[in-house]
Amino acid sequence: MVPILLNLKSNIELNMSTRLSTQANLGTFDHKKERMAVMRSNMELLLLQSTIIGATVGLISSVLSLIPSSGPLLGLLQFGQQSVLLLAAGLGCTLLGSAIIGVLICITVSVSHVLSIDPDNIGTPLASSFGDMSTLLILSLVTSLLITQMHTLWPLLMVLVALALMALLFRVVQQNEHMAHHISEGWIPLLYAAATSSIAGIIVEKCADRYPAMPALVPVMNGIGGNIGTVFASRLSTSLHRASRRNPLAFSASEHNLVMCILLFINLPVQLGFLAVHRAVDTSMQVTLLFVLVYVAATIIHGLAMLLLGRLACTFLWSKGYDPDDYVNPFITGTGDMLGTVLLAIVFLLV
């Protein structure tokens, strides 16, 4: 339940961040009334998507609990209680977590706009890092609370309230002519990201016994590479929207080539810094010159792949009439998780 929930929830928050960053750079945030309307409508969409994800993950977890294991099969009553508990945990975690991160994204984009800082450079990394951390914390708190109330009606009441809120949010978003189309858009990339990230998790699990130091480096490799990819995609999406509304010449290929190079070079010292910190904390890890060289090569390949994927995906989807803000981030994070994990496994295999 946890890996899928983290991935889906993180990606809808990334999509919200890129949408708001695009609107801020297009001038929508210049006027308070328009700014508040855009933030409110995006929060409504985010909460709707989070309830759908929470309910879906809860249902999937309930079905998986029916798969026979070494223990006895669940009875009907026990299965019902467990299903309600899983639904309540999924819905409660996604709703509360997305509400917190959504407000944080709104504040970040607004403050960045006021300070004349490009929110494309800040929003997605912030949503990604704080999103995963807050989700794990909230999920642990919600489940701990719900377990104590498992044999009461509180979990069921929580599920019913969340589903009623989902129906209300669906109606509100559907009535918004600017946001209604987002309800049905972007789900295929989200499913792709969930699937590829799950495969990456299986690879890590298989390699953990043979390479004990590998799991600690997976979030570093995948996280940093994914962040530079989503930052670049967010900037590129903004440029495409700006060029379509104002001036076709506003899209500068040479400028984006320079941004790609800068982001790729930023990736290297950050990766090496985390590697040094990990080596200092875990003295049992053998970090030789050969390991560093192979690791650096892997990070370059990973970072370059994420940047190229972001560029190709944005331009291709835009040419087909799709908004990159709704589609690109899940492709980058999903592909980045799987590619980064494979590359890291190869690094440990070679050295």
Side-chain angles (χ1 to χ4, degrees):
M1 176 177 180
V2 175
I4 298 176
L5 190 66
L6 282 174
N7 185 276
L8 293 174
K9 179 178 170 297
S10 175
N11 276 300
I12 61 172
E13 290 162 356
L14 286 175
N15 289 345
M16 174 181 171
S17 177
T18 54
R19 284 196 302 268
L20 287 182
S21 297
T22 297
Q23 292 300 316
N25 284 316
L26 291 177
T28 307
F29 275 43
D30 293 342
H31 307 285
K32 182 178 179 180
K33 186 177 180 179
E34 292 183 12
R35 179 173 70 249
M36 295 303 296
V38 168
M39 289 193 296
R40 184 183 67 252
S41 59
N42 273 273
M43 279 295 299
E44 291 166 351
L45 176 64
L46 177 66
L47 293 177
L48 172 61
Q49 291 175 328
S50 68
T51 55
I52 295 173
I53 288 172
T56 303
V57 172
L59 287 172
I60 293 174
S61 301
S62 300
V63 173
L64 291 177
S65 68
L66 289 174
I67 298 177
S69 60
S70 57
L73 292 174
L74 294 176
L76 183 60
L77 179 60
Q78 186 180 2
F79 171 71
Q81 290 177 333
Q82 183 170 297
S83 299
V84 170
L85 183 68
L86 290 169
L87 278 170
L91 287 165
C93 173
T94 52
L95 268 173
L96 184 58
S98 292
I100 294 172
I101 298 301
V103 171
L104 179 63
I105 291 172
C106 290
I107 294 173
T108 301
V109 175
S110 297
V111 172
S112 299
H113 183 70
V114 170
L115 298 178
S116 299
I117 300 173
D118 190 349
D120 285 326
N121 298 330
I122 302 174
T124 50
L126 191 70
S128 177
S129 56
F130 280 95
D132 288 351
M133 184 172 61
S134 65
T135 300
L136 290 172
L137 178 62
I138 293 170
L139 183 61
S140 63
L141 293 174
V142 170
T143 51
S144 298
L145 179 62
L146 286 173
I147 287 175
T148 63
Q149 304 295 323
M150 184 174 182
H151 300 289
T152 69
L153 292 177
W154 284 110
L156 179 59
L157 180 62
M158 184 174 174
V159 171
L160 294 176
V161 170
L163 293 178
L165 179 61
M166 180 172 65
L168 176 62
L169 288 168
F170 180 82
R171 183 175 180 180
V172 170
V173 176
Q174 193 178 42
Q175 291 177 345
N176 187 329
E177 60 179 348
H178 300 294
M179 302 300 293
H181 65 280
H182 290 290
I183 297 177
S184 59
E185 293 179 352
W187 291 105
I188 292 178
L190 287 173
L191 294 175
Y192 167 81
T196 50
S197 295
S198 298
I199 294 173
I202 294 173
I203 296 173
V204 174
E205 186 178 351
K206 297 294 184 182
C207 296
D209 292 336
R210 187 174 180 182
Y211 309 116
M214 179 180 164
L217 293 177
V218 169
V220 180
M221 169 79 81
N222 297 346
I224 298 174
N227 279 333
I228 66 171
T230 53
V231 166
F232 181 63
S234 185
R235 292 176 60 95
L236 192 58
S237 179
T238 295
S239 296
L240 290 168
H241 280 90
R242 184 184 289 127
S244 68
R245 292 191 180 188
R246 298 179 182 177
N247 180 7
L249 298 178
F251 183 85
S252 173
S254 58
E255 177 185 345
H256 291 299
N257 290 336
L258 178 61
V259 172
M260 285 181 66
C261 293
I262 293 172
L263 289 172
L264 187 60
F265 283 117
I266 288 175
N267 179 42
L268 285 177
V270 177
Q271 292 277 10
L272 291 174
F274 272 102
L275 182 62
V277 170
H278 179 63
R279 175 64 181 84
V281 174
D282 184 8
T283 55
S284 63
M285 180 180 177
Q286 298 296 323
V287 181
T288 63
L289 178 60
L290 177 61
F291 180 86
V292 173
L293 292 176
V294 178
Y295 182 80
V296 167
T299 59
I300 292 175
I301 294 172
H302 185 253
L304 184 59
M306 294 303 95
L307 292 169
L308 290 174
L309 176 61
R311 183 160 192 164
L312 292 173
C314 279
T315 52
F316 175 76
L317 289 169
W318 184 262
S319 68
K320 298 299 181 180
Y322 296 102
D323 189 347
D325 288 339
D326 292 325
Y327 287 89
V328 174
N329 288 325
F331 282 128
I332 293 175
T333 58
T335 304
D337 286 349
M338 187 164 61
L339 177 62
T341 303
V342 170
L343 286 172
L344 200 54
I346 293 174
V347 169
F348 279 91
L349 178 65
L350 292 177
V351 299

